[in-house]
Amino acid sequence: MKSQNLDELSRIVDLNKIESAKNSINEANGLPNECYLNDEYFKIEKERVFFNNWIVVGVSSSVPEIGDAKPFDLMGTPLLILRDKNNKIRVFHNVCSHRGMILVNEECKLKNTIRCPYHSWSYNFNGELIATPHVGGMNIHEADGFIKSKSNLKEVSTHIWMDLIFININKNKKNFEESIYPLEQQWSKFISKEDQKLIRHAKDFGYFNMEVQSNWKLAIENYCESYHLPWVHPELNRVSNLKDHYHIEDLAETFSGQGSNKYSQQFDGNKKLSTFPNWPNDLYQNSEYVSLFPNVMLGIHVDHFYAFWLEPLSNNNTREHFEMYYVGDESASSDEYKEIRKKNFAFWQEVMNEDVGVIEGMQKGRNSPVYNGGNFSPVMDTPTLMFHKWVATNLTK
Ligand code: FES
Ligand SMILES: [Fe+2]
């Protein structure tokens, strides 16, 4: 299987160039241009990077009530996100077992069933096929030899963490708890597992999305390094300077990023947002920003958390979804904190907008035949190389 996989990849891209990303930082080159430009490569990446790992496809608070359903197109693969009768988020392949019709085309509220619009086969919220009208001829709803249970919907492994909906399409990944353990350890100095339950999606100023003309990987690469701060984010750099940042590199290589020692809470007059209850006083000015591989960028602060997750649309087009969270209902919803929410949202939206020019510029740069995948600063670029190495390993294993 491995050599077959490598054959397929080697038809598109020089494998030595992919292997080079696994070298030590002085020897390494980054992933080659084909990994950002080639349509065939994009399909391979979908299988090996997106289907083989836990990835983010949405947030559970966007389907808040039982029966809320939302289609999601994962790089051409139709999925359906649904809140079932037990309040559990489920993700199914959004395709009817009969003639392959798409089941749900747009966001909606379902009553009791997922009914196919073509011949009305219906599935309950567990994905079981429960009604097949006229399947045995006019007014005969059962048929000899037709076993309904063989036609249930195909469900995807799903786990909710910090409101994020993670899925593993190929069901081949170790369980989610194990996968997220390194990041929970990294953040155990700030929050406990219990504290995770306190986050609430902001009632207003809580979401935006934008489309960038860039490969999804460039957003991740840009996010995990602080090197660009002085030039791309001059405002941010004034309050949280490059020198106040440190690298974050997971030993298990599931995430990389940066932390700051200079976070200061947003305020409105003398009002401040609620804080995580177990966050130590001496770490109030610490905040951390990590790219959790492959497709979500996270930021944690004493008084808010955000997730910026990526929906790859093609090799050079990505939709970025930003989700803002606060600690407890008051901070997330009450009018008292509205001004702070507004200010905080505008701040992050501005920062994320400032990155668009460089993400898109790097994409354009990858059309140059002389670009060799990149050389790295041995000091400033270690988090970026960790991500390249992770992608290269996923492609070649
Ligand atoms: S395709 Fe869905 S019922 Fe026929
Ligand atoms: Fe940035």
Side-chain angles (χ1 to χ4, degrees):
M1 186 62 189
K2 179 168 173 169
S3 67
Q4 199 184 331
N5 274 348
L6 292 179
D7 277 359
E8 198 187 0
L9 191 61
S10 67
R11 280 194 286 276
I12 299 163
V13 45
D14 180 348
L15 290 182
N16 291 325
K17 290 188 182 170
I18 301 241
E19 288 297 326
S20 174
K22 298 180 189 168
N23 286 340
S24 64
I25 197 144
N26 288 318
E27 323 288 280
N29 288 116
L31 295 167
N33 289 348
E34 290 83 352
C35 299
Y36 299 81
L37 301 174
N38 185 292
D39 285 337
E40 289 304 307
Y41 169 82
F42 186 72
K43 286 184 202 149
I44 291 186
E45 197 169 63
K46 163 174 145 171
E47 277 289 334
R48 297 189 204 164
V49 174
F50 280 79
F51 284 11
N52 275 343
N53 286 291
W54 287 104
I55 58 162
V56 174
V57 292
V59 298
S60 83
S61 52
S62 73
V63 280
E65 290 172 8
I66 289 171
D68 284 348
K70 208 174 190 175
F72 181 77
D73 183 288
L74 174 63
M75 300 158 98
T77 300
L79 300 174
L80 176 66
I81 300 167
L82 172 72
R83 188 176 287 270
D84 77 7
K85 300 247 162 166
N86 297 319
N87 244 317
K88 185 177 155 216
I89 304 290
R90 289 174 179 256
V91 179
F92 296 104
H93 285 276
N94 188 9
V95 60
C96 182
S97 305
H98 182 215
R99 305 307 309 140
M101 175 71 183
I102 288 286
L103 288 167
V104 177
N105 265 312
E106 54 191 32
E107 223 175 310
C108 60
K109 190 177 284 297
L110 299 172
K111 282 220 173 69
N112 291 308
T113 58
I114 308 160
R115 189 184 66 78
C116 177
Y118 197 1
H119 313 93
S120 233
W121 285 19
S122 298
Y123 306 84
N124 65 18
F125 288 178
N126 299 332
E128 291 155 349
L129 180 62
I130 51 165
T132 49
H134 313 300
V135 72
M138 199 56 204
N139 291 328
I140 307 170
H141 307 311
E142 308 279 336
D144 280 350
F146 179 78
I147 302 162
K148 278 207 198 82
S149 62
K150 283 189 179 166
S151 297
N152 292 339
L153 294 184
K154 301 291 176 286
E155 190 166 359
V156 174
S157 302
T158 305
H159 192 98
I160 310 300
W161 180 80
M162 301 282 274
D163 198 45
L164 300 167
I165 304 171
F166 284 84
I167 63 166
N168 175 213
I169 296 248
N170 283 346
K171 304 185 179 179
N172 58 336
K173 201 63 193 162
K174 55 187 170 187
N175 69 39
F176 184 83
E177 279 86 356
E178 254 180 80
S179 298
I180 202 68
Y181 181 75
L183 183 56
E184 288 188 330
Q185 282 300 103
Q186 170 73 25
W187 283 352
S188 61
K189 59 181 182 277
F190 298 143
I191 59 168
S192 66
K193 255 186 161 337
E194 277 305 298
D195 297 337
Q196 289 175 14
K197 296 182 190 148
L198 298 172
I199 63 159
R200 299 284 181 279
H201 203 279
K203 182 186 92 172
D204 44 24
F205 309 108
Y207 174 78
F208 71 87
N209 72 61
M210 57 186 180
E211 235 179 90
V212 290
Q213 305 304 306
S214 164
N215 184 273
W216 66 276
K217 292 190 289 302
L218 294 170
I220 295 288
E221 295 170 25
N222 171 65
Y223 188 79
C224 64
E225 53 106 326
S226 53
Y227 191 7
H228 65 281
L229 234 70
W231 305 284
V232 178
H233 309 293
E235 275 304 309
L236 177 61
N237 192 58
R238 251 189 286 285
V239 284
S240 176
N241 194 275
L242 178 57
K243 72 173 169 24
D244 304 313
H245 284 72
Y246 53 92
H247 296 334
I248 299 170
E249 287 156 286
D250 170 30
L251 293 176
E253 301 185 347
T254 63
F255 60 85
S256 68
Q258 33 137 346
S260 163
N261 298 317
K262 279 285 159 58
Y263 174 67
S264 52
Q265 278 188 262
Q266 292 280 10
F267 55 88
D268 172 26
N270 54 11
K271 262 181 284 177
K272 281 187 177 176
L273 295 161
S274 312
T275 55
F276 284 107
N278 295 310
W279 196 291
N281 284 340
D282 58 340
L283 297 181
Y284 262 46
Q285 288 191 300
N286 280 62
S287 54
E288 294 196 348
Y289 309 93
V290 301
S291 297
L292 176 61
F293 308 153
N295 75 326
V296 63
M297 304 174 280
L298 305 171
I300 194 155
H301 315 76
V302 66
D303 58 356
H304 71 284
F305 166 72
Y306 68 73
F308 202 25
W309 59 277
L310 302 175
E311 178 186 354
L313 301 171
S314 71
N315 57 43
N316 58 9
N317 197 6
T318 303
R319 190 174 293 122
E320 306 189 317
H321 301 262
F322 183 88
E323 319 273 354
M324 178 68 88
Y325 298 88
Y326 292 103
V327 185
D329 294 324
E330 275 283 286
S331 290
S333 312
S334 84
D335 285 346
E336 202 187 334
Y337 294 105
K338 188 169 181 164
E339 272 313 301
I340 310 190
R341 288 196 297 270
K342 188 175 172 184
K343 222 156 77 172
N344 197 34
F345 182 80
F347 175 81
W348 284 116
Q349 193 166 29
E350 173 69 21
V351 170
M352 301 313 178
N353 269 316
E354 286 168 351
D355 283 316
V356 173
V358 289
I359 294 168
E360 294 188 339
M362 286 192 284
Q363 179 69 24
K364 285 195 186 124
R366 276 163 177 71
N367 288 296
S368 167
V370 299
Y371 185 66
N372 66 356
N375 309 109
F376 296 96
S377 153
V379 178
M380 303 305 271
D381 287 327
T382 50
T384 311
L385 182 61
M386 179 176 279
F387 174 63
H388 279 235
K389 191 175 160 194
W390 182 87
V391 173
T393 306
N394 273 271
L395 290 171
T396 52
K397 71 183 170 196

